[in-house]
């Protein structure tokens, strides 16, 4: 893969949305947040995981949309909003219905509203911490089959969704393909979030010497799943550039892409790897899209 272009400096906005059971309201909230972010100068806008529905296996089937065949009011809005605002949009994720299966899917649009890529969550969130947090996405969802690298006006992005951040190999594979920004729409919770959310984002940044963006829904006290919030932007030296608590808000950061090159030159980890001792094997197809 050719080297990624240097987009210079890019202002990113992370929209930590208030998500309810009312899909139309969620769509309106997201649209307003995208407009607002563009109004404030953002060129890259990121939404959270499952922003159009409550985070629950009961909700995924009934809120799911067929993104390719339609109707898809959520992603149609995203395409129109990206075009109207003239921004690169990482559209969080929504439940996608495709050929009888459900996926947790993130769509990336360019500033004309063209769908550049779709990432289907590759690692499903199946955990059991007795009495604290039990969730099994695999009851309703099917995992995606590949990584997603996408060249945009806001840099080369590697997309993961929430639990995907726990798997360093995926991020390493992205870095190997020249990704400058790892983007994770996510929805950690109040059990794992306090210890793991920022730690994982900074770990992926320090290992791969790139920007890491994690965008969560706000905490909704009425929801069955309590999202951790704390949307965060981390720089390529693992420094927190912007973060927040759990309320609905939009946070901003300036991504200076020269820093990715600089940090990779300061600490030339890629060249120093001991390929004679270990190796990352990329078994995915070369295609970035699904
Ligand atoms: O990994 C975690 O602790 C949370 C993951 C999650 O909430 C998700 O994948 O949706």
């Amino acid at each position: 893969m050719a080297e990624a272009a240097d987009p210079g400096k890019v202002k990113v906005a992370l929209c930590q949305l208030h998500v309810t059971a009312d899909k139309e309201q969620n769509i309106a909230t997201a649209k307003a947040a995208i407009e607002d972010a563009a109004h404030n100068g953002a060129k890259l806008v990121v939404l959270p995981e499952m922003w159009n529905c409550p985070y629950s296996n009961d909700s995924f089937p009934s809120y799911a949309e067929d993104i390719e065949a339609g109707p898809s009011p959520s992603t149609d809005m995203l395409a129109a909003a990206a075009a109207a605002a003239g921004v690169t949009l990482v559209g969080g994720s929504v439940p996608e219905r495709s050929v009888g299966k459900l996926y947790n899917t993130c769509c990336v649009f360019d500033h004309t509203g063209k769908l550049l890529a779709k990432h289907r969550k590759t690692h499903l969130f199946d955990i059991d911490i007795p009495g604290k947090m039990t969730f099994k996405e695999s009851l309703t969802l099917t995992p995606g089959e590949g990584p997603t690298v996408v060249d945009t006006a806001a840099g080369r992005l590697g997309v993961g969704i929430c639990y995907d951040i726990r798997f360093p190999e995926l991020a390493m594979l992205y870095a190997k393909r020249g990704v400058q920004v790892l983007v994770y729409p996510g929805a950690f919770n109040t059990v794992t979030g306090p210890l793991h959310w920022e730690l994982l984002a900074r770990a992926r940044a320090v290992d791969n010497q790139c920007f890491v963006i994690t965008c969560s829904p706000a905490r909704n006290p009425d929801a069955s799943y309590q999202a951790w919030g704390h949307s965060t932007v981390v720089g390529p030296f693992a420094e927190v550039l912007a973060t927040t608590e759990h309320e609905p808000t939009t946070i901003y950061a300036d991504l200076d892409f020269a820093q990715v090159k600089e940090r990779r030159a300061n600490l030339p980890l890629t060249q120093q790897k001991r390929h004679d001792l270990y190796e990352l094997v990329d078994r995915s197809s070369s295609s970035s899209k699904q």
Side-chain angles (χ1 to χ4, degrees):
M1 213 166 175
E3 202 187 333
D6 182 349
K9 291 185 184 167
V10 174
K11 185 167 181 174
V12 62
L14 281 58
C15 305
Q16 185 163 293
L17 303 175
H18 177 65
V19 177
T20 69
D22 182 337
K23 186 170 174 181
E24 267 183 43
Q25 188 183 321
N26 295 334
I27 292 175
T29 302
K31 180 171 181 283
I34 296 163
E35 287 166 357
D36 203 43
H39 188 72
N40 288 327
K43 289 292 172 209
L44 172 62
V45 178
V46 183
L47 302 187
E49 182 184 26
M50 293 294 187
W51 59 265
N52 75 349
C53 67
Y55 191 82
S56 78
N57 277 311
D58 289 345
S59 302
F60 301 151
S62 53
Y63 288 70
E65 300 177 6
D66 189 327
I67 293 169
E68 306 291 341
S72 184
S74 303
T75 57
D76 288 351
M77 178 285 286
L78 295 181
V87 297
T88 300
L89 177 61
V90 177
S93 78
V94 295
E96 176 194 14
R97 186 181 302 282
S98 177
V99 203
K101 291 183 176 162
L102 295 178
Y103 300 91
N104 184 339
T105 302
C106 173
C107 294
V108 181
F109 299 90
D110 76 4
H111 64 285
T112 69
K114 182 177 160 210
L115 179 64
L116 295 178
K118 263 190 345 181
H119 177 76
R120 290 170 171 166
K121 188 172 189 173
T122 47
H123 304 89
L124 294 183
F125 176 44
D126 283 3
I127 70 165
D128 185 18
I129 306 174
K132 297 207 164 145
M133 173 54 57
T134 300
F135 205 99
K136 205 160 190 243
E137 275 188 326
S138 62
L139 287 174
T140 55
L141 303 180
T142 300
E145 286 176 352
T148 304
V149 174
V150 53
D151 279 321
T152 74
R156 183 172 293 169
L157 313 182
V159 186
I161 300 175
C162 206
Y163 204 58
D164 282 338
I165 199 173
R166 288 191 181 271
F167 299 86
E169 293 86 352
L170 180 65
M172 286 161 68
L173 188 149
Y174 285 154
K176 208 171 165 183
R177 292 193 190 175
V179 158
Q180 296 151 311
V181 187
L182 297 169
V183 192
Y184 297 98
F188 267 46
N189 50 75
T190 49
V191 177
T192 58
L195 277 178
H196 295 171
W197 173 255
E198 185 182 304
L199 175 72
L200 285 164
R202 295 186 66 204
R204 298 296 81 88
V206 81
D207 282 350
N208 298 293
Q209 302 174 297
C210 62
F211 292 102
V212 176
I213 291 171
T214 54
C215 184
S216 169
R219 190 170 316 157
N220 178 349
D222 300 331
S224 61
Y225 183 89
Q226 292 293 298
W228 173 235
H230 293 77
S231 297
T232 298
V233 182
V234 180
F237 207 46
E239 69 278 38
V240 174
L241 298 176
T243 191
T244 185
E245 303 272 330
H246 61 250
E247 298 84 6
T249 186
T250 294
I251 62 165
Y252 297 88
D254 289 313
L255 309 184
D256 178 356
F257 281 76
Q259 285 182 2
V260 175
K261 261 202 171 142
E262 191 182 317
R263 295 312 185 186
R264 288 176 176 171
N266 295 158
L267 289 81
L269 304 180
T270 305
Q271 292 88 305
Q272 292 166 338
K273 284 191 194 288
R274 289 287 306 270
H275 296 296
D276 57 324
L277 299 180
Y278 47 77
E279 189 137 41
L280 177 72
V281 180
D282 183 350
R283 292 211 181 82
S284 65
S285 72
S286 54
S287 162
S288 299
K289 298 189 178 178
Q290 293 193 345

